[in-house]
Amino acid sequence: DTRYRFQGYQIFQVKDETVGPSDLQNVDVARLLAQVDLKDGVGQLINYDFDESIGVAVANEMVDGADEGILHSFRVTQDLFAQGDNRLINHKTYYYMALAYSYNNYKTYDPLNPLALDGQKKPYLAGRKAPGGGIKSVSGIPHIPAPELGGTVLNSQYGDGPKITRIEGMGNGANIVDITPESEAAIVANYKLDEVEYQNGKGPVNVKVIDPLNVVGGDFELRMIPKNSFLYSIDSASWILTNLTTGESVSSDQTIAVDNEQLIPEWGISVQWHQYKYYQPYSSFIYTDFLEGTIEFADSSKQWLSGVPDADGVTAENWILAGTANEDADAALYPEYCDDPASKNDYLGVDDEEKYEQILEGTWAPYRLCSRRCPNTIVGQDFIGTLAANDFNFLTSVDVVITTDKTKWTRCAVIEMQTETVLSEGGVKHGYPRAGQSVDKEGMPDGTGTGMGWFPGYAIDVETGERLNMAFGEDSWLGGDNGRDMIWNPTSRRYSGVNGDVVWGGKHTIFVFGNLKRSGGASSTNMPSYDGGVYLEDNMVNGTSGTRNKAWRGCMWVGQPVLDFSTIGDVYSDTYDFIKTDVKIRLRVAKSYEKYATKGYYTIPIGDTANADNAWYPLYEFSMTDIATETKNNDTAVSACDLINVVPNPYYAYSNYETNSLDNRIKITNLPDVCTINIYTTNGTLVRTFRKDSPITSVDWDLKNQVGIPIASGVYIIHVDAPGVCEKIVKWFGAIRPPILENF
């Protein structure tokens, strides 16, 4: 292969405008600020240059690539040449240079291998040109923008994003998403929401502010454009962003198969829309990446909820079976192995790197990884076959909320967690509905039969905008730990004091089920989204072996809670008094973008697009009005006059703005666009006049008078007159240094 192909680029801060591309390896005049490269497995690039003095090729690292994809916007806050305080200085000019580089490695060179001496010695090749010709530096000047354009108000900063509303489709492309409180309330009340609104900067597509000075208002539509009519054309789709207010539109430069940040400087934003693809790192098991898990208390001083953290090894707390450990279990304590691959073939190659074993310190896990053969068993023996059906691409990002607001509670099945039928109420087997009488929200029998209760909260799929079905467990043998009352009310006790038996707060395990009908055309007997508990009552409580298995195949997430009395005390007055404040558990995973029907057509065949706006492909809308830049704000312009200043003040023979030993320079800063600056001595003699009519908010004074003669040391009066805005007077003292000519 004789061609070098684009791989990435490096951004350098350079000393001044005289630095050229050939100087970038000189740390005295160039410092590496950022580096980005294609996400393709190619990271570090080493060139071998022949050293005549020693007669061999010497390895030189040219770039250590992050291998995380291409970005085109960056936030710079530090001066890489500064010593001590390295924060950028307002109104000082800084210089930067971008250098693209390419890659070719037709054969890996190895100086220690005679068969690889004909390999590529120089896989890295630096670019020689920029889009506009030669590679040149560009300058940037940090400053306060308030005085600009008749008074400028910034309603955003770099990295902020709009509130995006999902109209059709689903997926997050590995972006962490959070819905707005308004959407959450609508989903809880109505069970489904067609147009889900996401919080600012927390949407399923990365739309972010890159230029806070230029963010335009208006309503926008972001539409996926599939390559063709085939279902899997999503992977190679493009997109178009339309300003619905003006009718202008911008099309993508790349397909979403490429992780590319596309800048739209005229609107002050960028769009980064990249398809996430599930993968198989270990076996045929389909894997998706876990992104984030948090537990958030409405009142952080009342952290009443805790959990049983997973622990590796031969221990009762090893309830999440991930990794590749092969421990010999104590047959007396563990009659069936806990973490022995010979006994857990269904777990091997599922999460060998144990990424899902660390969620919230090991207190939550996917159903697929839950133990099934130990005293700490989560999955009933009759339902272990349902584990193999739950690949990780079935997982969705969910919010689980626990609240005292009974209008938001979830009607659910209550599951028997006692593994010995001789000990369980009614002889019910583990994993089946409890034999206790179904109860109402007050915990009293409601006369509807057995096995149903209320979870004090709800679960939401934040990708689809659906409320989800739930269940919770009880060990009816553990009556002293509230395991026999059909109420979700865990205690804080983890083990019995007699022989260390597992108690785990009464085993009030939380189960969250996904919607298996959402793909359209799915079996009508599959688990739906939340339906008031009807499906679970019909198929789990009153169903057959087959329908119960089908219900368990819908289980996604499992939490093993206990109370934390260290923060709330161990006494509470009524059934739910232990819920001291609302708590939200957030679980986020990467999801591919997919077709998804909304507008009430959730279960139609996915090919039926008669009522779709974008054939059920992802379609989003958002408004930039709340984060748009405001200009000509007279109140801001007037208040900005208080910021007018002279720096440095006092001036002791030197300033950070000077470029050489003959340069004397101060700056009059934070000026409005149009103004007149008059500089006087203390006796009223006019020294210098500047008339400004430009968006640059500062003026340089070289400490000379109107005819170019250096001023004397002393106090000066600087008067700024901005017609129609304000007047400002600033006193300034300067100690002027004499010219130093020895070095010239």
Side-chain angles (χ1 to χ4, degrees):
D1 186 0
T2 60
R3 295 185 178 183
Y4 281 82
R5 293 172 175 82
F6 172 79
Q7 183 63 27
Y9 61 88
Q10 300 161 285
I11 300 174
F12 297 85
Q13 181 184 344
V14 296
K15 199 73 172 178
D16 53 43
E17 69 272 23
T18 66
V19 177
S22 61
D23 303 316
L24 293 180
Q25 301 305 316
N26 182 355
V27 294
D28 292 332
V29 297
R31 305 282 173 88
L32 182 66
L33 172 70
Q35 177 276 329
V36 294
D37 63 312
L38 299 174
K39 190 174 183 179
D40 58 0
V42 177
Q44 184 185 52
L45 298 183
I46 296 176
N47 279 2
Y48 288 85
D49 298 301
F50 187 78
D51 188 327
E52 294 184 357
S53 63
I54 59 177
V56 297
V58 177
N60 293 302
E61 181 183 82
M62 308 306 295
V63 63
D64 187 10
D67 194 34
E68 294 180 351
I70 299 295
L71 294 176
H72 296 307
S73 66
F74 305 87
R75 184 171 185 261
V76 181
T77 61
Q78 296 180 343
D79 179 0
L80 300 184
F81 290 97
Q83 297 180 353
D85 187 352
N86 61 1
R87 291 175 295 177
L88 297 180
I89 298 172
N90 274 348
H91 303 285
K92 181 177 180 179
T93 303
Y94 296 90
Y95 298 90
Y96 302 91
M97 183 176 292
L99 179 70
Y101 65 90
S102 57
Y103 171 72
N104 174 294
N105 189 31
Y106 61 87
K107 180 180 179 180
T108 301
Y109 173 76
D110 184 352
L112 302 179
N113 183 357
L115 299 178
L117 295 178
D118 59 343
Q120 173 62 282
K121 293 182 180 179
K122 296 186 177 182
Y124 168 95
L125 181 64
R128 295 178 295 171
K129 293 184 178 180
I135 300 174
K136 299 178 181 179
S137 61
V138 295
S139 62
I141 304 174
H143 62 284
I144 298 172
E148 295 182 16
L149 302 174
T152 296
V153 179
L154 300 186
N155 292 310
S156 65
Q157 60 182 351
Y158 174 83
D160 285 350
K163 293 179 179 177
I164 295 177
T165 299
R166 189 286 313 272
I167 308 299
E168 294 178 14
M170 63 171 290
N172 63 27
N175 294 305
I176 294 175
V177 296
D178 283 303
I179 60 178
T180 61
E182 294 78 11
S183 284
E184 181 176 348
I187 295 168
V188 172
N190 304 312
Y191 302 170
K192 279 184 174 147
L193 183 62
D194 287 328
E195 298 186 358
V196 181
E197 184 182 58
Y198 294 89
Q199 297 177 25
N200 288 88
K202 293 291 187 176
V205 178
N206 188 10
V207 178
K208 75 177 181 183
V209 171
I210 58 167
D211 183 2
L213 284 171
N214 204 32
V215 178
V216 300
D219 297 323
F220 293 80
E221 176 194 84
L222 182 58
R223 181 181 294 260
M224 176 182 283
I225 309 297
K227 184 176 181 181
N228 50 49
S229 60
F230 293 106
L231 175 62
Y232 297 105
S233 62
I234 287 180
D235 292 347
S236 56
S238 57
W239 53 262
I240 183 169
L241 177 63
T242 303
N243 186 329
L244 300 177
T245 305
T246 66
E248 301 172 283
S249 63
V250 174
S251 297
S252 59
D253 295 334
Q254 305 276 356
T255 70
I256 66 172
V258 179
D259 190 1
N260 177 65
E261 180 191 15
Q262 182 166 333
L263 307 187
I264 311 175
E266 62 270 26
W267 293 344
I269 60 175
S270 70
V271 176
Q272 189 171 8
W273 193 347
H274 178 231
Q275 174 67 308
Y276 177 86
K277 301 192 72 173
Y278 306 121
Y279 56 106
Q280 299 175 350
Y282 317 114
S283 63
S284 60
F285 182 81
I286 302 176
Y287 195 86
T288 191
D289 287 301
F290 182 75
L291 302 178
E292 180 178 86
T294 64
I295 181 168
E296 302 171 354
F297 293 86
D299 183 343
S300 60
S301 68
K302 299 176 180 178
Q303 299 188 22
W304 57 270
L305 183 66
S306 182
V308 178
D310 174 74
D312 287 335
V314 183
T315 168
E317 291 187 344
N318 189 6
W319 69 275
I320 304 174
L321 301 188
T324 59
N326 186 352
E327 294 104 353
D328 291 326
D330 184 331
L333 181 60
Y334 299 91
E336 297 185 80
Y337 297 108
C338 269
D339 200 20
D340 179 359
S343 303
K344 65 181 189 77
N345 292 330
D346 285 340
Y347 301 101
L348 279 177
V350 175
D351 187 26
D352 291 355
E353 295 180 2
E354 301 180 329
K355 294 179 180 179
Y356 281 85
E357 201 174 39
Q358 312 300 321
I359 300 174
L360 296 177
E361 299 181 349
T363 58
W364 280 80
Y367 174 72
R368 175 65 184 268
L369 294 178
C370 291
S371 62
R372 71 188 194 196
R373 289 178 171 166
C374 305
N376 58 7
T377 180
I378 304 296
V379 182
Q381 286 294 298
D382 285 359
F383 306 110
I384 58 176
T386 63
L387 294 171
N390 289 14
D391 285 1
F392 279 6
N393 63 320
F394 168 62
L395 296 172
T396 64
S397 297
V398 302
D399 285 343
V400 179
V401 176
I402 304 172
T403 176
T404 55
D405 186 346
K406 295 181 180 180
T407 66
K408 299 178 180 180
W409 286 10
T410 299
R411 184 66 167 167
C412 65
V414 184
I415 306 302
E416 179 62 69
M417 300 300 291
Q418 172 54 239
T419 59
E420 300 294 334
T421 57
V422 296
L423 301 179
S424 66
E425 181 181 8
V428 171
K429 297 170 69 176
H430 176 225
Y432 286 75
R434 282 265 290 105
Q437 291 293 306
S438 297
V439 299
D440 60 19
K441 293 180 181 179
E442 306 303 323
M444 302 301 294
D446 61 11
T448 62
T450 62
M452 295 294 291
W454 290 88
F455 180 77
Y458 54 89
I460 288 176
D461 184 332
V462 296
E463 308 286 349
T464 62
E466 299 173 305
R467 187 168 170 176
L468 301 174
N469 277 304
M470 301 183 70
F472 68 85
E474 280 190 328
D475 186 332
S476 60
W477 173 249
L478 299 174
D481 288 274
N482 304 331
R484 202 179 177 93
D485 57 11
M486 302 294 289
I487 299 172
W488 189 84
N489 51 357
T491 68
S492 64
R493 197 164 68 118
R494 296 190 183 185
Y495 301 96
S496 68
V498 179
N499 53 14
D501 289 341
V502 170
V503 173
W504 288 5
K507 299 184 182 177
H508 290 77
T509 309
I510 301 172
F511 301 96
V512 179
F513 296 86
N515 178 8
L516 293 181
K517 291 184 178 180
R518 70 181 182 216
S519 60
S523 171
S524 60
T525 61
N526 281 348
M527 173 74 71
S529 58
Y530 183 59
D531 57 0
V534 173
Y535 181 89
L536 285 172
E537 187 166 19
D538 290 345
N539 294 274
M540 183 81 81
V541 177
N542 300 320
T544 64
S545 175
T547 60
R548 290 190 180 103
N549 270 281
K550 205 156 210 176
W552 279 116
R553 282 202 293 271
C555 192
M556 292 193 299
W557 295 103
V558 177
Q560 188 55 62
V562 293
L563 297 191
D564 186 354
F565 285 149
S566 66
T567 60
I568 68 171
D570 60 358
V571 177
Y572 46 91
S573 59
D574 59 41
T575 303
Y576 295 102
D577 188 50
F578 63 89
I579 303 177
K580 298 300 182 181
T581 187
D582 287 3
V583 60
K584 176 182 288 187
I585 295 99
R586 296 171 58 258
L587 305 173
R588 298 293 183 266
V589 295
K591 297 295 293 183
S592 294
Y593 297 103
E594 305 173 18
K595 279 187 170 186
Y596 177 71
T598 58
K599 308 170 189 175
Y601 300 96
Y602 305 101
T603 59
I604 65 171
I606 202 67
D608 184 352
T609 60
N611 297 288
D613 188 357
N614 196 39
W616 307 129
Y617 287 101
L619 173 66
Y620 308 99
E621 292 181 356
F622 58 89
S623 173
M624 299 288 287
T625 301
D626 62 329
I627 59 175
T629 307
E630 298 178 42
T631 59
K632 299 181 181 179
N633 187 310
N634 190 64
D635 290 342
T636 300
V638 172
S639 62
C641 289
D642 294 335
L643 302 174
I644 294 174
N645 198 11
V646 183
V647 288
N649 188 13
Y651 171 83
Y652 291 117
Y654 170 78
S655 81
N656 280 312
Y657 305 113
E658 294 167 351
T659 58
N660 57 60
S661 58
L662 294 179
D663 185 19
N664 298 102
R665 188 184 307 270
I666 66 169
K667 286 182 180 282
I668 305 167
T669 62
N670 303 322
L671 299 169
D673 294 345
V674 179
C675 63
T676 300
I677 302 105
N678 290 307
I679 304 172
Y680 301 91
T681 63
T682 53
N683 62 11
T685 302
L686 180 64
V687 176
R688 186 77 176 264
T689 296
F690 296 95
R691 290 182 173 84
K692 177 183 176 300
D693 187 1
S694 74
I696 298 174
T697 60
S698 66
V699 166
D700 288 13
W701 181 25
D702 59 4
L703 304 183
K704 295 178 181 178
N705 64 16
Q706 294 282 69
V707 294
I709 298 174
I711 63 170
S713 299
V715 177
Y716 292 80
I717 307 298
I718 300 176
H719 176 263
V720 179
D721 180 18
V725 181
C726 66
E727 292 186 59
K728 181 71 179 285
I729 295 175
V730 181
K731 292 182 180 180
W732 175 81
F733 172 79
I736 311 303
R737 70 175 184 272
I740 301 174
L741 303 177
E742 284 84 352
N743 297 327
F744 293 87

